Amino acid sequence: MSVKGLMHSLTGLIGALFINLLGLTLSLRLIGLEHHKEARNNSKNVLYAFWHEGLLLATYAFRKQGIWVLVSQHRDGEYIAQTIERMGYETIRGSSTRGGTRALFRMAAAGAAGENLGVTVDGPKGPRLQVKPGVLFIAARSGLPIVPFAVASRRPWILSGWDRFKIPRPFSTAVISFGEPLLVPSDTQADRLEPYRLQLQNRLQKARETAEQHTKDG
């Protein structure tokens, strides 16, 4: 293994250990579970959609479920991939700027084959809190319903990057809020995805507001 590969591996090991230890201290609440159950009742597998800012908490909450996740081919993506693979995820590498089209097809194929999928819909580089169309392509081609969710925690640490990445404080209350599922018909053409993108945008924003509110109320 090269020095670079060793550093990536070590970083992933430390990252997974940190997330697991931090997660054990959190008081985790799930809101809107009826939406999650609705999607599961209609489809054995689902496509989870969420904002990049909540990646850390989402990684802990959905660990060890064998979810396939779309991860950037950039350097930061390598660290993320090394970390989440140690927490029970499968990764497909690609983004809007590198290997994107091939990665979208591979994700859709995995979904059609019966896998659960996960996509940070504003990643890997933003703009922040704006849904990109890739997730809609995956949903249409795989036939999976999109289950939007947002995460929040009380007084998190917020990093200064483009996504305002959130790290929950140890022993704080953390919330995952599920939104209404969205099904994109398989015959939807690429130039007709915008109405679905706007619907998903709205549902994710509502889920985010709900999650934030419950951290204040709790």
Side-chain angles (χ1 to χ4, degrees), residues 190-201:
D191 60 353
R192 297 183 180 273
L193 290 175
E194 181 62 10
Y196 298 100
R197 192 193 71 80
L198 293 175
Q199 288 184 62
L200 181 57
Q201 178 83 27

Side-chain angles (χ1 to χ4, degrees), residues 164-187:
R164 305 288 289 165
F165 193 84
K166 295 182 177 181
I167 302 176
R169 293 178 184 269
F171 304 101
S172 64
T173 297
V175 174
I176 293 180
S177 174
F178 294 98
E180 184 180 352
L182 177 65
L183 186 63
V184 182
S186 60
D187 60 352

Side-chain angles (χ1 to χ4, degrees), residues 3-175:
V3 173
K4 181 183 292 186
L6 182 62
M7 289 300 297
H8 286 157
S9 181
L10 182 60
T11 301
L13 182 63
I14 294 172
L17 179 62
F18 170 76
I19 293 172
N20 279 313
L21 290 176
L22 174 61
L24 289 173
T25 74
L26 301 176
S27 176
L28 184 60
R29 300 172 60 190
L30 302 179
I31 307 298
L33 275 173
E34 68 275 11
H35 298 310
H36 187 266
K37 291 178 180 178
E38 176 189 347
R40 285 291 194 176
N41 287 338
N42 294 325
S43 175
K44 181 181 178 181
N45 303 98
V46 299
L47 167 53
Y48 294 105
F50 59 105
W51 302 126
H52 203 276
E53 66 179 13
L55 180 60
L56 189 150
L57 181 55
T59 297
Y60 177 75
F62 294 91
R63 69 196 184 282
K64 297 181 180 179
Q65 296 183 34
I67 298 172
W68 290 60
V69 180
L70 183 61
V71 179
S72 166
Q73 289 185 346
H74 296 285
R75 182 183 62 183
D76 291 348
E78 182 61 35
Y79 294 131
I80 291 172
Q82 290 282 345
T83 298
I84 67 176
E85 286 174 3
R86 284 175 169 78
M87 299 186 68
Y89 294 86
E90 301 289 339
T91 60
I92 291 177
R93 306 300 299 277
S95 66
S96 58
T97 55
R98 296 178 62 185
T101 301
R102 181 169 176 269
L104 293 178
F105 275 101
R106 289 182 62 198
M107 284 286 285
E115 304 293 347
N116 291 304
L117 309 179
V119 177
T120 54
V121 295
D122 57 347
K125 295 294 182 182
R128 178 174 179 261
L129 304 182
Q130 294 294 315
V131 173
K132 293 182 176 180
V135 65
L136 304 169
F137 173 86
I138 294 171
R141 193 168 182 88
S142 68
L144 298 185
I146 300 174
V147 177
F149 72 87
V151 308
S153 61
R154 183 170 293 181
R155 297 172 52 245
W157 291 303
I158 301 177
L159 304 186
S160 60
W162 71 267
D163 57 352
R164 305 288 289 165
F165 193 84
K166 295 182 177 181
I167 302 176
R169 293 178 184 269
F171 304 101
S172 64
T173 297
V175 174

